[in-house]
Amino acid sequence: MNEVKALPSRDEIPEQYRWRLEDLYQSPAAWEADLQKVTGLLEKIPAYQGRISENPAVLVEVLKLEEQISRLTEKLFVYARMKRDEDNADGESQARADRAQALAARVGAMTSFIIPELMSLPEETLLSYPEQAPELAVYRHFFADLLRKKKHILSPEEERILALGSEVTQAGEDIFSMLNHADLKFPRLKNEAGEEVELTHGRYLRLIESRDRRVRREAFTALHQTYRKYRNTLTATLNAGIKRNVFYTRARHYNSALEAALDGENIPVAVYDSLLTTVRESLPILYRYLEIKRRLLDLAELHLYDLYTPVLCDYEVKIGFEEAKSLIMKGLAPLGADYQKLLEQAFTEGWIDVYESQAKTSGAYSWGAYDGHPYLLLNYQDTVNDLFTLAHELGHAMHSAYSNQAQPYVYAQYPIFLAEIASTVNEVLMAYYMMETAADARSKLYYFNYFLEHFRVTVFRQTMFAEFERLLHEQVEKGEALTADWLEEEYVKLVRAYHGPNVVVDEEIAAEWSRVPHFYYNFYVYKYATGFCAAVAFVQSFREEGKTALQRYIRFLQNGGSDYPLTLLQQAGVDLTTAQPIKEAMRAFDRLVGEFAGLSTAVPR
């Protein structure tokens, strides 16, 4: 029997592949000192409650104090959580993270009066404060956004009641999460080697990509049949989640749940409509791609369980971390010398925790505090996906670095609507670089397939989800019931529409809606699609306009959250108030599918 290789301990990972949290705090004692400092500063906060309306000078004092507390708390929290992520089994790190969480909750509670008191000021009074106190000039956009939302803010007592009900209205999502992650058990099946394995969420992702069609078919069937056994329970949990959104919509006097969800970032409903309409119009391009894939897989029929398997059944690529760094420096060169300098800092100055080790947090992320450089957590395994994950997380890190350098604390955090754009710009640039520099036709075909699949699942699939999510809310808003039969019927209609006449829509897919956690996130999925299309538009502008487009993009990164998301994008040359960026992305997809088709006929099978 082969001995299973144990994961290395953290101390066994070479120092150059570990992040440097000492840049935040040199020692636990330094962290403790800041914790005590925040505790002392919090004692000053109650003296300002009920006084914000006195005069601008008092407001300056409380906002400065609140910022000082928030910045320190953020730094404490980030350090504690990342220190725990190094080794989740370390008791000292667990305790420190718990203390940081408790501190953050206390800070939130003690400063919670600030926004309501600001909102209670007459509009002309709040807008006049920056004229009376120059130190408040930086808050003009912040104040204007508060006033924009004011008509949807209720009386203090009504707000208190809504807040008290938040735990109850969260029940649908909470119950789904417990059923999905704790109680749901999937059957066992045989893998490619004929070994019996228990199907899990994590294993499904690998099995559905299997080059053995029996394996992916059985995984697909087993997963969806398991969910379908609980169709009535899962209908009830989703119904509760949608009714929650509709309840808050009506309580806050919005016209629809969609309008309410988009209003937080000042996104018009027309942007959502434009995405759905334009992607629908472009579905024939997707149909063409899927037909090419069917032919490359040498299948008489393309089933839904065939969609994720690579078209080259015997092609494996290994890319070590050092090679990945070199490729990324070359692939992201179009972003300019300053960007390259920041990348070099990330690679050499302790920003990245590279390899898996015992009890380290899984997955990947980019994070950090305003008063420090960004950090990246990876679990690098030398795969192509790891290369693109590194490029993706570096995009987040660069966005944060540029924004933190250029913006005051109040605007340093970029809006969620923009969050995936910089990361996806990096992925698109890397995809083009890998496709264009591939050593041979098979390698080129591999990277074309990789990128086209990424496009398919991020734009077309997420837009399909967005269309279904809108249907869910409209059904409840009309006073109609969400039944299991209705959900299955409507979902299958969308799957057929989005995959076209040449894909076999297996009956098990009727249960897929019941396993998508994003349907509880209140109109979130559309941002994946708009973000991807915006990224494609940016990359296209780099290629067509060169330096001018690059300068606009860097300013976009520097602008953080200093204005509304659509305004910041317009300033950078991408106008999502129109369908143009979505159409440009569809044209890019069409062009790549054409090249993919040509490659597919030339590559030996």
Side-chain angles (χ1 to χ4, degrees):
M1 181 182 290
N2 293 329
E3 184 179 347
V4 177
K5 187 177 180 182
L7 285 174
S9 68
R10 184 157 189 84
D11 290 341
E12 293 175 301
I13 303 292
E15 186 176 347
Q16 68 265 33
Y17 300 122
R18 288 182 276 161
W19 58 22
R20 204 164 60 209
L21 297 187
E22 294 81 5
D23 294 347
L24 284 174
Y25 286 106
Q26 282 292 321
S27 66
W31 185 88
E32 289 287 348
D34 263 1
L35 185 74
Q36 296 307 314
K37 186 175 182 180
V38 172
T39 301
L41 290 170
L42 278 173
E43 294 176 1
K44 301 179 181 181
I45 283 288
Y48 289 96
Q49 191 160 1
R51 295 183 54 210
I52 283 179
S53 61
E54 285 183 10
N55 56 63
V58 172
L59 181 55
V60 169
E61 288 178 18
V62 73
L63 289 177
K64 281 186 174 180
L65 178 59
E66 192 270 340
E67 178 176 319
Q68 186 181 10
I69 291 170
S70 293
R71 286 170 67 166
L72 282 171
T73 302
E74 176 186 71
K75 188 178 174 185
L76 288 161
F77 186 81
V78 167
Y79 175 87
R81 288 294 292 269
M82 290 197 298
K83 195 68 179 171
R84 188 190 68 183
D85 286 345
E86 292 179 353
D87 183 358
N88 286 276
D90 181 69
E92 185 179 331
S93 294
Q94 292 171 5
R96 188 185 297 111
D98 288 345
R99 292 171 67 202
Q101 180 74 50
L103 177 68
R106 187 181 173 209
V107 168
M110 292 189 68
T111 59
S112 63
F113 69 90
I114 296 174
I115 297 299
E117 287 195 27
L118 279 172
M119 298 284 279
S120 69
L121 290 170
E123 181 173 342
E124 61 275 11
T125 301
L126 186 56
L127 293 179
S128 71
Y129 272 11
E131 305 300 327
Q132 299 176 55
E135 289 170 287
L136 293 175
V138 70
Y139 290 96
R140 280 197 175 94
H141 173 66
F142 177 73
F143 292 161
D145 193 42
L146 287 179
L147 292 170
R148 181 184 67 83
K149 299 172 184 174
K150 190 172 182 177
K151 63 183 178 180
H152 299 294
I153 303 300
L154 309 181
S155 71
E157 181 58 22
E158 289 171 322
E159 288 291 340
R160 188 183 74 84
I161 293 170
L162 290 185
L164 287 172
S166 62
E167 284 191 80
V168 177
T169 57
Q170 186 70 16
E173 181 179 349
D174 291 342
I175 295 167
F176 168 79
S177 183
M178 290 304 296
L179 177 64
N180 195 40
H181 297 297
D183 295 338
L184 209 61
K185 300 300 178 186
F186 300 102
R188 301 175 74 86
L189 51 85
K190 290 185 177 180
N191 64 15
E192 295 90 342
E195 302 164 333
E196 196 171 76
V197 296
E198 183 181 357
L199 182 63
T200 65
H201 291 292
R203 285 179 182 152
Y204 179 74
L205 298 176
R206 181 180 62 79
L207 294 170
I208 199 65
E209 294 178 355
S210 175
R211 291 170 170 86
D212 186 329
R213 199 180 194 201
R214 174 195 61 80
V215 170
R216 59 183 188 259
R217 181 179 63 247
E218 289 181 5
F220 176 89
T221 301
L223 183 92
H224 291 95
Q225 284 184 349
T226 301
Y227 278 99
R228 203 162 191 213
K229 290 177 184 176
Y230 300 91
R231 66 197 290 263
N232 295 312
T233 298
L234 290 165
T235 295
T237 61
L238 183 57
N239 204 2
I242 303 302
K243 285 183 175 179
R244 170 199 61 193
N245 298 340
V246 173
F247 167 72
Y248 283 116
T249 293
R250 291 171 176 167
R252 296 196 179 279
H253 311 299
Y254 284 100
N255 295 315
S256 69
L258 177 59
E259 180 188 72
L262 271 56
D263 188 56
E265 294 182 306
N266 201 23
I267 307 295
V269 170
V271 171
Y272 201 93
D273 293 339
S274 179
L275 172 70
L276 269 55
T277 300
T278 307
V279 171
R280 272 275 191 167
E281 291 170 350
S282 305
L283 286 175
I285 310 169
L286 177 62
Y287 302 163
R288 181 184 174 208
Y289 164 66
L290 293 175
E291 176 58 20
I292 296 167
K293 187 160 189 174
R294 181 200 63 77
R295 181 170 54 78
L296 283 169
L297 290 171
D298 195 24
L299 297 172
E301 294 180 329
L302 188 70
H303 285 250
L304 294 173
Y305 52 76
D306 297 318
L307 296 181
Y308 294 90
T309 193
V311 296
L312 292 175
C313 61
D314 60 348
Y315 193 85
E316 297 286 348
V317 180
K318 291 289 185 183
I319 299 175
F321 184 69
E322 293 300 326
E323 183 184 359
K325 285 162 55 177
S326 176
L327 288 170
I328 283 171
M329 294 297 286
K330 294 172 184 174
L332 302 185
L335 295 177
D338 287 342
Y339 199 96
Q340 292 272 297
K341 193 179 298 182
L342 269 179
L343 286 174
E344 191 63 40
Q345 284 181 249
F347 289 140
T348 61
E349 297 184 8
W351 292 24
I352 309 175
D353 208 75
V354 180
Y355 293 114
E356 188 177 14
S357 58
Q358 292 175 23
K360 179 181 173 180
T361 292
S362 62
Y365 66 66
S366 173
W367 202 23
Y370 182 73
D371 294 302
H373 60 70
Y375 287 89
L376 285 76
L377 180 137
L378 305 174
N379 283 274
Y380 200 88
Q381 301 286 331
D382 296 350
T383 68
V384 169
N385 189 59
D386 289 322
L387 166 69
F388 280 90
T389 296
L390 174 58
H392 180 98
E393 299 303 339
L394 282 167
H396 287 307
M398 298 301 110
H399 199 170
S400 296
Y402 274 110
S403 179
N404 289 351
Q405 289 170 6
Q407 293 299 322
Y409 182 71
V410 66
Y411 301 131
Q413 182 58 55
Y414 40 84
I416 297 297
F417 185 84
L418 305 178
E420 294 300 329
I421 294 175
S423 55
T424 308
V425 163
N426 281 13
E427 287 194 82
V428 174
L429 283 170
M430 286 306 302
Y432 282 142
Y433 178 78
M434 299 304 286
M435 288 187 290
E436 291 166 0
T437 62
D440 53 56
R442 296 192 85 221
S443 177
K444 194 166 192 170
L445 184 69
Y446 175 90
Y447 285 108
F448 262 84
N449 183 211
Y450 185 95
F451 184 57
L452 288 170
E453 275 300 294
H454 191 27
F455 202 120
R456 178 181 73 81
V457 300
T458 309
V459 179
F460 290 101
R461 181 171 167 81
Q462 297 300 330
T463 301
M464 182 182 76
F465 285 170
E467 190 165 345
F468 186 64
E469 192 172 7
R470 185 169 195 167
L471 281 174
L472 296 175
H473 287 83
E474 288 176 344
Q475 181 79 344
V476 172
E477 286 169 340
K478 289 186 297 186
E480 300 292 338
L482 293 183
T483 66
D485 289 342
W486 183 89
L487 289 163
E488 290 181 354
E489 181 181 344
E490 293 301 320
Y491 191 78
V492 169
K493 283 181 188 175
L494 282 173
V495 172
R496 291 187 188 283
Y498 273 78
H499 291 83
N502 298 322
V503 174
V504 177
V505 176
D506 306 275
E507 65 178 27
E508 292 85 0
I509 203 64
E512 187 176 48
W513 62 267
S514 65
R515 72 179 186 91
V516 181
H518 293 77
F519 292 148
Y520 296 85
Y521 296 176
N522 197 15
F523 293 102
Y524 187 91
V525 293
Y526 86 100
K527 298 175 187 179
Y528 292 120
T530 54
F532 194 100
C533 292
V536 170
F538 273 125
V539 172
Q540 195 64 29
S541 70
F542 301 156
R543 294 182 156 221
E544 293 174 356
E545 302 175 50
K547 188 176 180 180
T548 302
L550 174 61
Q551 288 173 338
R552 288 198 307 264
Y553 178 68
I554 298 300
R555 282 197 298 272
F556 165 75
L557 299 182
Q558 292 170 334
N559 282 335
S562 59
D563 210 327
Y564 295 118
L566 292 178
T567 302
L568 294 173
L569 279 171
Q570 286 171 327
Q571 292 169 356
V574 177
D575 189 357
L576 277 171
T577 65
T578 74
Q580 191 61 27
I582 314 297
K583 290 179 178 179
E584 287 179 8
M586 293 299 109
R587 283 195 288 270
F589 184 72
D590 189 24
R591 184 182 69 253
L592 290 169
V593 168
E595 293 183 48
F596 183 64
L599 270 174
S600 69
T601 60
V603 174
R605 300 293 296 148

